[in-house]
Amino acid sequence: MLPRAKKQFGQHFLTDRHYIDRIVTAIAPARDDVMVEIGPGPGALTAPLVERLDRLHAVEVDRDLAAALRERWDAKQFTLHEQDVLTFDFSQVGPRFRCVGNLPYNISTPFLFHLADYAEALIDAVFMLQKEVVDRMVAAPDSEAYGRLSVMLQYRFAMRRLFDVPPGAFTPPPKVDSAIVRMVPLGADRPRAKDDIRFAAIVTAGFGQRRKTLGNTLKPFLSSSQIEACGIDPKRRAETLSVSEFIALADVR
Ligand code: SAM
């Protein structure tokens, strides 16, 4: 029997066998993968993953669910980290790892930013997220969904939307559609700003007031003539800039 879903932990449990199988196929676990599952809940994905892996790490914040999961599998096969994933130190699982999960939608954006800090150790990730968030992750410039999340993630990851999952696949059904996304960190030769912190600050400022021109929003960082010197019209808005144009702006001194 499924446990009662707790709203504060964004709990919607996957119950549709068809989608569980499709997600596990998309993950394609190999026996010796070092894998971390976020939010195992009652274990819809956990069970087939434990079956296919020598060992699975999982991070779960809900004490009741954590206790039930601990009882189910041997600690050698299944290592449960009972804590908030937003403060989880992924380096403790090893130098390279894969990450999967049906994420709690209420923390998905801060979680993706947290995971991005470990991009160099991450092999890949397969996540279920609110469809609208996946739209933002993979959005191209000049589209409604393109924003800070798109630029900050596309700066570090190649991302592909795999398939959609309807509300009826969960108990209780969420109000929104969901989608599966695969994230693969870009290689060491990826285009990179000289200073990641300045890059992030410029992206945040640019999208802070989406409808204003770059000449306005980037005033604390760059003059209009510095923006023009990058070949970018200061009358443009952040939502029209590619990731490489943001890098060019961040590199001006
Ligand atoms: N994987 C299960 C499934 O597919 O049925 C549960 C998915 S449910 C959408 C999200 C899970 O993440 C829940 O088990 C919830 O308790 C857990 N969770 C919520 N917030 C969390 C956090 N901050 N850190 C770790 N786990 C969290």
Side-chain angles (χ1 to χ4, degrees):
M1 211 178 69
L2 275 180
R4 188 181 57 83
K6 295 176 190 153
K7 240 192 181 152
Q8 80 264 34
F9 294 137
Q11 292 176 350
H12 296 277
F13 304 130
L14 252 180
T15 42
D16 187 321
R17 192 75 255 161
H18 167 76
Y19 285 103
I20 295 170
D21 291 347
R22 278 184 78 182
I23 296 167
V24 174
T25 302
I27 295 170
R31 278 253 146 241
D32 58 354
D33 282 345
V34 176
M35 192 176 288
V36 186
E37 185 192 0
I38 312 306
L45 298 173
T46 322
L49 292 175
V50 170
E51 213 172 274
R52 288 163 177 77
L53 294 165
D54 290 337
R55 184 179 176 190
L56 175 70
H57 290 267
V59 187
E60 175 58 65
V61 76
D62 182 328
R63 282 165 182 239
D64 301 326
L65 295 177
L69 289 162
R70 267 210 193 88
E71 274 183 19
R72 200 159 155 191
W73 292 288
D74 191 293
K76 276 195 221 102
Q77 252 188 315
F78 180 68
T79 308
L80 187 66
H81 305 267
E82 188 182 323
Q83 71 170 90
D84 181 346
V85 72
L86 296 181
T87 58
F88 183 68
D89 176 4
F90 282 92
S91 64
Q92 65 189 282
V93 304
R96 302 274 289 152
F97 67 95
R98 303 185 66 200
C99 194
V100 302
N102 170 13
L103 297 184
Y105 297 166
N106 48 349
I107 59 152
S108 52
T109 304
F111 167 70
L112 291 168
F113 280 105
H114 177 59
L115 186 71
D117 288 340
Y118 296 90
E120 262 139 52
L122 183 70
I123 297 166
D124 69 347
V126 176
F127 293 133
M128 170 126 64
L129 286 155
Q130 197 175 327
K131 194 171 157 209
E132 176 263 329
V133 175
V134 175
D135 289 342
R136 284 164 49 207
M137 292 164 77
V138 303
D142 275 321
S143 64
E144 192 60 37
Y146 188 70
R148 173 172 171 255
L149 186 70
S150 332
V151 176
M152 292 308 294
L153 292 180
Q154 290 170 25
Y155 179 59
R156 285 179 172 269
F157 301 97
M159 288 173 295
R160 198 151 70 88
R161 158 199 225 108
L162 299 183
F163 53 90
D164 293 348
V165 181
F170 306 82
T171 307
K175 290 202 176 73
V176 292
D177 284 329
S178 304
I180 307 291
V181 65
R182 180 190 298 282
M183 305 170 67
V184 181
L186 298 170
D189 56 348
R190 71 190 169 96
R192 225 186 138 160
K194 288 181 195 138
D195 177 348
D196 284 342
I197 294 173
R198 187 172 166 85
F199 175 80
I202 285 190
V203 174
T204 303
F207 286 108
Q209 292 159 293
R210 267 182 96 86
R211 300 287 154 208
K212 289 204 170 165
T213 64
L214 295 168
N216 251 307
T217 56
L218 299 188
K219 234 177 221 154
F221 300 93
L222 299 165
S223 65
S224 287
S225 51
Q226 284 176 309
I227 297 175
E228 252 165 3
C230 297
I232 297 169
D233 182 346
K235 289 201 195 71
R236 283 171 65 187
R237 295 188 302 214
E239 66 203 51
T240 70
L241 293 188
S242 64
V243 174
S244 24
E245 286 177 314
F246 274 110
I247 294 175
L249 290 174
D251 282 353
V252 176
R253 284 290 180 173

